[in-house]
Amino acid sequence: MQLEGKRTIVTGGASGIAAATVLAYAREGASVVSVDINDEAGQRIADEANRLGSGKVTYRHLDISDQDAVNHVFDEAVTLLGGLDVLANIAGNEAQKPAEDVTAEDIDKIFNVHVKGMFFTNAAAYRAMQAHGGSIINASSGAGVTGYPGSPVYSAAKAAMLGYIRTVAFDWGDKLIRINAILPAAETDMTKEHFGAMDPETLARYKALYKSKIPLGGWLGTVEQIAAVNVFLASDASSFITGQAIAVDGGWTMVR
């Protein structure tokens, strides 16, 4: 088991890539505190993970855009786990709107989760890891590197995450805390909702775009494929990797 003895926190653990990561971490022997705002689904994933018979998973409610709540829940989680070795910060949301129509509310909705949430959770993880090191993984996106049609706020937030990660890798490296980003492209409930809301003409245009941009299969991957990379980044096998944006998207984002 690659993560036996690892003490981990996963944000967004009720669904999608984060839920798959909770299951993968448990399967690999980690102790996990999974957090989300969807308590019913979050607890269901935790129960499923515990039936795997390897690592132990506990679920807690948390809105990562609330700094006081982050500090409280992370302190509780670190006490429960007996320390912290890994944070996989995967919680996110998405919205599309033309740049010329974006409001302050639109910006806050996305930036509060992706940017503020990253600042708050990563700082809380730093406090728990600074004495012994650890691994922090943040879910960014190829949208923050190459852009994504119709999603200016989301793309801007994901780009901000990359700037943060590259800077903090320098600032926290002397504490042996490594921090990396994944740039995932997987079929999730969020993406299904995203595409399901499109009219046939728009959907056909997006399918053609994906086919032209993704060398491996011309479509999105699976959440399990992303979770496998999160296992690697949580493990000691990645102990000399930091400040990187690792694209797990079939080749769409070829980071230079």
Side-chain angles (χ1 to χ4, degrees):
M1 292 186 290
Q2 298 180 69
L3 303 182
E4 187 171 9
K6 295 292 187 184
R7 302 159 296 182
T8 71
I9 295 175
V10 178
T11 74
S15 62
I17 293 167
T21 299
V22 170
L23 294 169
Y25 280 7
R27 192 178 296 112
E28 293 294 336
S31 297
V32 185
V33 173
S34 170
V35 302
D36 205 294
I37 57 173
N38 185 339
D39 295 337
E40 181 179 355
Q43 188 60 58
R44 184 174 67 250
I45 295 297
D47 292 342
E48 181 181 347
N50 283 321
R51 287 193 292 271
L52 297 174
S54 299
K56 169 68 175 175
V57 179
T58 303
Y59 174 77
R60 291 289 186 268
H61 178 91
L62 178 61
D63 175 357
I64 65 167
S65 69
D66 181 336
Q67 187 172 24
D68 290 338
V70 167
N71 291 337
H72 173 75
V73 172
F74 269 59
D75 285 348
E76 181 185 67
V78 170
T79 298
L80 178 67
L81 294 167
L84 185 65
D85 302 299
V86 178
L87 166 64
N89 176 44
I90 310 172
N93 56 5
E94 188 176 359
Q96 286 200 310
K97 201 171 192 179
E100 63 271 22
D101 296 330
V102 167
T103 66
E105 183 180 1
D106 296 326
I107 296 169
D108 289 344
K109 178 182 177 181
I110 301 298
F111 270 67
N112 282 351
V113 175
H114 294 275
V115 181
K116 285 186 178 181
M118 177 185 60
F119 270 86
F120 300 157
T121 60
N122 286 208
Y126 169 82
R127 290 191 290 273
M129 294 177 178
Q130 59 182 321
H132 58 79
S135 175
I136 296 174
I137 307 156
N138 287 294
S140 182
S141 170
V145 179
T146 64
Y148 189 79
S151 299
V153 180
Y154 178 79
S155 298
K158 290 304 193 181
M161 294 178 76
L162 295 177
Y164 172 93
I165 289 159
R166 288 162 178 157
T167 298
V168 172
F170 283 103
D171 294 342
W172 294 353
D174 64 340
K175 303 292 187 183
L176 299 182
I177 296 172
R178 59 194 193 275
I179 180 169
N180 294 287
I182 57 165
L183 315 179
E187 196 162 16
T188 65
D189 290 341
M190 185 185 295
T191 60
K192 289 175 183 176
E193 180 180 349
H194 172 65
F195 291 117
M198 293 179 179
D199 60 75
E201 182 180 343
T202 302
L203 180 59
R205 187 165 67 249
Y206 272 83
K207 284 186 174 180
L209 172 67
Y210 278 52
K211 187 175 182 179
S212 69
K213 292 289 188 180
I214 300 177
L216 289 177
W219 191 242
L220 301 171
T222 68
V223 293
E224 290 78 16
Q225 288 172 313
I226 313 303
V229 177
N230 285 337
V231 168
F232 166 69
L233 290 173
S235 75
D236 292 341
S238 63
S239 61
F240 203 51
I241 299 174
T242 196
Q244 302 304 307
I246 299 173
V248 196
D249 62 2
W252 185 334
T253 311
M254 299 188 185
V255 181
R256 296 290 189 267

